[in-house]
Amino acid sequence: MRDNSVAGLTARYGPGWRWLAVLTVMMGTIATVLSATVVNVALHEIMVEFNIRQGMVHWLATGFIAAMTTTMLASSWLLDHFGVRKTLAFAMAVFTLISVAGGFASSPEQLIAARIGQGAMAGLMQPMGMYLVFRIFPRDRRGQAMGIYGMGVVLAPALGPVLGGFLVDQLDWRFVMFAPAPVTLVGVFMALRFLPTPASQPPPYRFDLPGLVLLGATIGIALDALNRLQDLDGQETGVAIEGLVALALLVMFVLREKRTKHPLVNVNLLRTPSFLYANLGAMALGLALFGSTYLIPLYVQTALGYTATQAGLLMLPAGIVLGMTFPLAGKLADRGGDARKLVIFGMAMFASSAILFALSDLTLAFGWLALWTVFGRIGIGFMLPSLSIGALNPLKPEELGAGSSTINFTRQLGGAFGVNIVALTIEFGEHSGGVPTINAFHTAWWLVAVFVAMAVIPVWRMRA
């Protein structure tokens, strides 16, 4: 039987096996981010084929992110009981099957269900990279490793819209569902070959299933309440009831997490100031990343008349620049400087990008729009590694699993509500012939800019 312990992998592949492990978890990250972004350029075609409005089609993005946000917190229990190798291989295998099934959906409900299933598996995969980096790399190389790993986070957004645009224009929107499957299929074999088995395992403990159910219900009901605001006439009472139910479920969840011996969310970690403030910053990062990735393709296709391919090409230079920014930001974080300055610089860049989009008009050339997108992605590139270092460095080794799942959770939570709020803003904005005008999109861009700018306050209080 092959020895997949850290010592066994080192003996078999040499000290460089760590980078093979990073490449493996990058496969999962690429698949999850590819799935989260590639569908955005297909939204217009899906709306036309199924004859649905933006108020329903946005669930393809929101449902995915909400499911990913909820299941992400289960990763700590899975890591403790099965290790990163088995957990990632299982999640990738199921993700592959769901992606193929989603491509054959015959109704919007089936397609949304497939997206939710993809998101649930993506939630299990997403925290694995950060956990692995902090487990196998020494403290002074974690920033560099996070920078390299982060290239997987940005490679998919760079290539996803381009690939999605090509598939939509040349083939069919259904191929955007098939696209991540080959990546995860290869990832299954890489996980079994290159990822380490646990060095030790804690005594078995009960999974906090009631906590997961409470959290999932809270997020789902809250998002549905926001969605119903898009067509409020006659639904005022229902929305109010959903809001109160979501609040009650949230209170029940928090009380349970404080009482249970093995909580889904280790609330005690939030008593570490740098971890708490980094998580607040991560929510802004999620809103920036997923909100803009949803907004840009829809904006240029709906308001400016771009094709799906053009929308994808618009985001390609930004993705390439983001891939170059990540390693630089990681090295700067390793040098022991003030992580707050790196994060705030990134926030300023992204907010500037959103403001420039908010001030754009119908005659703005393709090159300028691409440049505004580049500015925003540079900002995201500086935010992510520094927030991760600031959040996890103060934690103990045994807290890294819970810490990595928590900060990934807050980032995705920001993304889930960010996409929903952006969609709500567009739906409430100015329309012409049932289609949002450029003014509706301008309002959404201003909203994104304000949210990110406000996050400077908690980030400035972060110490790392």
Side-chain angles (χ1 to χ4, degrees):
M1 183 175 178
R2 181 173 293 174
D3 182 7
N4 267 70
S5 66
V6 170
L9 288 167
T10 303
R12 191 180 316 136
Y13 301 110
W17 78 269
R18 292 183 177 88
W19 296 109
L20 293 172
V22 170
L23 178 62
T24 302
V25 293
M26 280 176 64
M27 299 295 288
T29 301
I30 288 172
T32 59
V33 182
L34 181 66
S35 297
T37 58
V38 71
V39 76
N40 290 324
V41 296
L43 295 178
H44 180 73
E45 296 297 324
I46 294 171
M47 290 168 67
V48 172
E49 175 163 334
F50 290 119
N51 191 28
I52 55 178
R53 286 183 59 120
Q54 195 268 151
M56 183 177 186
V57 79
H58 86 88
W59 276 106
L60 296 175
T62 304
F64 179 97
I65 301 172
M68 179 164 57
T69 302
T70 303
T71 61
M72 190 171 285
L73 291 173
S75 62
S76 179
W77 184 86
L78 291 169
L79 286 169
D80 283 344
H81 287 76
F82 301 103
V84 64
R85 181 171 175 263
K86 290 182 179 179
T87 301
L88 191 60
F90 170 80
M92 285 181 168
V94 177
F95 185 93
T96 303
L97 296 175
I98 294 174
S99 298
V100 173
F104 293 104
S106 58
S107 70
E109 290 78 14
Q110 290 178 10
L111 186 58
I112 291 172
R115 290 288 293 168
I116 291 173
Q118 281 185 323
M121 291 301 103
L124 301 182
M125 291 189 275
Q126 190 83 330
M128 298 298 158
M130 190 181 298
Y131 166 82
L132 186 75
V133 165
F134 277 76
R135 177 187 164 189
I136 66 176
F137 281 89
R139 186 183 183 94
D140 61 349
R141 296 189 63 192
R142 289 173 178 173
Q144 179 189 13
M146 280 300 300
I148 299 299
Y149 163 73
M151 293 178 66
V153 179
V154 300
L155 180 62
L159 300 180
V162 179
L163 175 63
F166 174 81
L167 293 175
V168 170
D169 286 341
Q170 304 301 322
L171 297 171
D172 186 83
W173 66 262
R174 296 179 182 276
F175 284 85
V176 304
M177 293 294 293
F178 298 140
V183 180
T184 45
L185 188 59
V186 172
V188 171
F189 296 100
M190 292 183 68
L192 296 174
R193 187 177 183 87
F194 298 125
L195 295 187
T197 53
S200 62
Q201 288 182 287
Y205 58 90
R206 187 183 298 274
F207 176 61
D208 185 17
L209 182 60
L212 184 69
V213 172
L214 285 171
L215 180 64
T218 300
I219 295 173
I221 292 173
L223 290 175
D224 188 62
L226 283 174
N227 184 53
R228 288 176 182 272
L229 289 175
Q230 299 185 45
D231 188 16
L232 191 58
D233 290 343
Q235 298 194 79
E236 293 86 353
T237 302
V239 170
I241 292 174
E242 280 193 322
L244 292 174
V245 170
L247 182 60
L249 289 172
L250 178 61
V251 172
M252 292 170 61
F253 172 74
V254 172
L255 292 176
R256 174 176 175 78
E257 298 308 284
K258 287 184 176 181
R259 291 197 309 265
T260 188
K261 186 176 180 180
H262 298 287
L264 194 66
V265 176
N266 188 347
V267 181
N268 290 330
L269 293 181
L270 297 176
R271 294 178 180 175
T272 303
S274 59
F275 186 76
L276 172 63
Y277 296 129
N279 274 271
L280 294 175
M283 292 189 70
L285 173 61
L287 186 149
L289 177 60
F290 289 100
S292 63
T293 304
Y294 172 84
L295 188 54
I296 291 173
L298 196 63
Y299 168 55
V300 298
Q301 288 178 265
T302 303
L304 305 183
Y306 282 31
T307 65
T309 301
Q310 289 172 326
L313 289 172
L314 177 69
M315 301 184 72
L316 179 60
I320 294 172
V321 171
L322 182 52
M324 297 166 61
T325 304
F326 256 96
L328 172 62
K331 286 184 178 181
L332 290 175
D334 274 342
R335 291 180 179 177
D338 192 341
R340 298 176 303 169
K341 294 180 181 178
L342 296 177
V343 178
I344 290 173
F345 172 78
M347 288 180 166
M349 288 291 293
F350 183 87
S352 299
S353 167
I355 291 171
L356 288 169
F357 270 110
L359 297 174
S360 62
D361 57 39
L362 295 173
T363 62
L364 195 66
F366 180 95
W368 288 111
L369 293 170
L371 183 60
W372 303 162
T373 309
V374 166
F375 286 168
R377 290 306 186 259
I378 291 175
I380 291 172
F382 272 89
M383 291 165 66
L384 195 147
S386 299
L387 282 171
S388 300
I389 296 296
L392 299 185
N393 264 350
L395 303 184
K396 300 174 183 177
E398 62 270 20
E399 295 174 335
L400 291 178
S404 62
S405 64
T406 300
I407 193 168
N408 276 281
F409 164 77
T410 54
R411 185 176 70 239
Q412 301 304 135
L413 187 66
F417 281 93
V419 170
N420 206 295
I421 292 171
V422 164
L424 181 64
T425 304
I426 295 171
E427 192 69 15
F428 271 136
E430 182 181 274
H431 281 58
S432 177
V435 177
T437 68
I438 193 171
N439 292 329
F441 287 99
H442 284 169
T443 304
W445 279 116
W446 280 114
L447 184 71
V448 170
V450 169
F451 270 113
V452 173
M454 289 176 61
V456 169
I457 298 172
V459 168
W460 182 248
R461 301 183 67 182
M462 183 179 75
R463 295 289 188 272

